[in-house]
Amino acid sequence: MKSEYDVIVIGSGLGGLTAGAMLGQYGRKVLVLESHYAAGGAAHGFEVDGFKFDTGPSFFCGMTETGSLNPVKMVLSALGETLPCVSYDKFIYHFPSDKVELPVFGDWERYLDSVRSVSQTGARQLQRLRDETMDVYQALKGIPTMAIRADWKAVPLLLSRYPMGMLRTAKFSQGLQEPFEKLTRKAGVTDPLVSRLIDLECFLLSGLKASGTVTAEMVFMFGERECRAVEYPKNGAVALVDALVRGIVKHGGSLRTKAHVEKILVRNGKAYGVRLRSGEELFAESIVSNASLWDTYGTLLEPTDLPTGFVSQQLKTPTVESFMHLHLGINAEGLEHLEGHHVVVHDTQDDITRPGNAVMISVASKFDPSLAPTGKHVVHAYTLEPFDGWKRDSGYRDMKRQKAEPLFRALRHIIPDLESRIEVERIGTPLTHQTFLRRHKGTYGPAIKAGEGLFPGPKTPIEGLWRVGDSVVPGIGVPAVVGSGVICANTMVPLHHHIHLLDRLAL
């Protein structure tokens, strides 16, 4: 049968939108299918009574500056899109059990002074770790994400175009996939505060502590935060979603929402289309799945489509837990000095990965007042929460409230009279994630520990089927999923098309 499209993308998360937009600018006819009523996946937004909420990412860095390693900037440049952002330089870590409140700055000296005010020894150790990390970061800067492919053609491309970058990176190549904990030991980090900070920042980035987080992820975070602006996009995370959708449309592609893909169609080992829940079938030369690996291999494909034993092996991949989310619209009177980002660790003697212990808080209207009515703030707090045990039964409402209590407690630490200010309240659970994001157990991605396995990349055993998103390359944040879309698109096109793009972007 005749293919109507060059590429069909299943899911409009940031990975899927990036792949679709990049393939569009490469000249492919692209259709993106989204099950939800809104594009964006975990980055979509919603509005209640004039309060505009993010549902997922809220911390961004290096999205507007030329020279950033963050692939978002490179993608937007390739698409001819801009993303207005507000820059800021301060957020706060709270450790109530230790009575410590630690301001964190993008400016390295200010951050070091902040740590020094609590621990002189810790500041010296953190400086040594920073020096080790920045050596690796400077090497990585020599190879832009936009140049990476997942096939053998990457080697001659990188060697011919970025010989010095390859030479510098080769020195660190083995260590990039090792646990970041190994680099912290090399730097002599023993101070309890700094060890806690490192575990916390690894956890915020990967869902794992330093013992399980890949070094490359933390090198990227350290370097970008120090060398680039910490930013928040005007109009929230959905502004990035909108920019990618515009990029798809301007290059002749299209997006369909409320279009739930039920099956990927495969014949003789080749993917050739999809079947929607409505029964409609659509055909393309290639299919890109932005669904998780569990949903792609366990639901969208038939077991007979894949090699014997492959499915069971893939489905054993450990998952990052799901989340509890709290979205509040509050009265902002008297909160003029409130910072926009906070992390509260309730008990430093407890495991930081224990559900409810570490709470991330974003007050996005501090950066963009248009996200809330005049005199109000929009607040988003979230923490890990396992999927198991959740049911939509008579006890669901009470369980929601009980499991949201660590979020309320964290917010009370920052805003003591919180309850009297609340005007809008929405609580999200792992079931909310499963329902709206169509994700296996509401997970945010794989918990593949450094040294215990590698991320699989965009290729699959089925010809014409590719994957993007948070279970493709290390990291569950925006740079990782956008990067997965870039790498997938680059690999799907001939090398000379890829080189032409790099020339156009002067990379």
Side-chain angles (χ1 to χ4, degrees), residues 476-488:
I476 58 175
V478 170
V481 294
V482 169
S484 77
V486 169
I487 294 168
C488 180

Side-chain angles (χ1 to χ4, degrees), residues 1-291:
M1 68 267 319
K2 183 180 178 181
S3 297
E4 304 161 75
Y5 302 94
D6 295 319
V7 183
I8 289 175
V9 180
I10 303 170
S12 68
L14 294 180
L17 291 176
T18 299
M22 290 297 297
L23 287 164
Q25 68 82 37
Y26 276 131
R28 304 302 189 265
K29 185 179 180 183
V30 176
L31 171 65
V32 180
L33 299 171
E34 170 56 50
S35 179
H36 193 25
Y37 63 78
H44 81 276
F46 68 97
E47 182 174 350
V48 180
D49 297 340
F51 293 95
K52 299 175 183 177
F53 296 102
D54 289 328
T55 60
S58 57
F59 183 86
F60 303 87
C61 187
M63 297 199 300
T64 60
E65 290 189 46
T66 301
S68 170
L69 285 183
N70 191 333
V72 171
K73 169 60 178 175
M74 301 178 203
V75 169
L76 294 176
S77 295
L79 300 177
E81 291 290 333
T82 58
L83 185 69
C85 291
V86 177
S87 297
Y88 63 100
D89 190 47
K90 180 182 178 183
F91 50 100
I92 301 178
Y93 292 155
H94 304 261
F95 305 103
S97 62
D98 294 343
K99 297 182 171 55
V100 171
E101 185 173 290
L102 188 76
V104 179
F105 299 92
D107 179 272
W108 176 252
E109 291 303 325
R110 295 184 71 190
Y111 183 23
L112 205 60
D113 285 343
S114 185
V115 173
R116 191 177 290 116
S117 69
V118 180
S119 171
Q120 294 272 350
T121 299
R124 288 193 294 271
Q125 293 178 2
L126 187 60
Q127 179 66 58
R128 290 200 297 269
L129 178 61
R130 179 263 182 193
D131 293 343
E132 293 279 356
T133 302
M134 291 304 291
D135 283 346
V136 185
Y137 175 78
Q138 293 300 328
L140 292 180
K141 283 177 64 178
I143 304 175
T145 305
M146 192 62 77
I148 299 175
R149 305 170 61 93
D151 59 7
W152 66 268
K153 298 172 187 176
V155 176
L157 171 65
L158 297 179
L159 284 174
S160 62
R161 200 169 184 104
Y162 313 101
M164 292 307 298
M166 289 289 283
L167 184 63
R168 295 189 189 102
T169 303
K171 176 182 175 183
F172 303 104
S173 58
Q174 183 177 352
L176 290 174
Q177 293 299 319
E178 292 179 338
F180 189 63
E181 183 180 55
K182 186 172 181 178
L183 195 61
T184 66
R185 288 200 303 265
K186 180 182 177 183
V189 174
T190 58
D191 181 77
L193 172 67
V194 174
S195 297
R196 189 182 311 136
L197 284 175
I198 298 307
D199 268 340
L200 176 58
E201 297 199 327
C202 285
F203 172 69
L204 296 176
L205 188 65
S206 72
L208 301 167
K209 293 188 289 188
S211 59
T213 300
V214 174
T215 292
E217 296 181 60
M218 288 301 291
V219 166
F220 174 88
M221 186 278 293
F222 261 83
E224 289 293 285
R225 192 174 67 190
E226 178 177 344
C227 299
R228 309 295 165 195
V230 182
E231 299 163 316
Y232 184 80
K234 291 183 179 180
N235 205 37
V238 72
L240 174 55
V241 174
D242 291 343
L244 293 173
V245 172
R246 290 195 302 270
I248 291 170
V249 173
K250 75 161 59 171
H251 290 98
S254 56
L255 165 72
R256 283 177 58 181
T257 57
K258 300 181 183 178
H260 183 82
V261 174
E262 202 161 65
K263 285 294 176 184
I264 297 171
L265 303 176
V266 178
R267 180 186 295 118
N268 299 324
K270 168 83 167 67
Y272 67 92
V274 299
R275 180 185 302 117
L276 305 188
R277 180 181 286 164
S278 64
E280 180 183 4
E281 293 187 347
L282 298 163
F283 309 109
E285 291 297 320
S286 299
I287 308 298
V288 175
S289 176
N290 191 193

Side-chain angles (χ1 to χ4, degrees), residues 481-507:
V481 294
V482 169
S484 77
V486 169
I487 294 168
C488 180
N490 290 345
T491 311
M492 291 175 67
V493 302
L495 182 60
H496 67 275
H497 289 180
H498 188 185
I499 292 173
H500 176 73
L501 172 65
L502 296 174
D503 289 340
R504 180 164 66 85
L505 297 177
L507 291 173

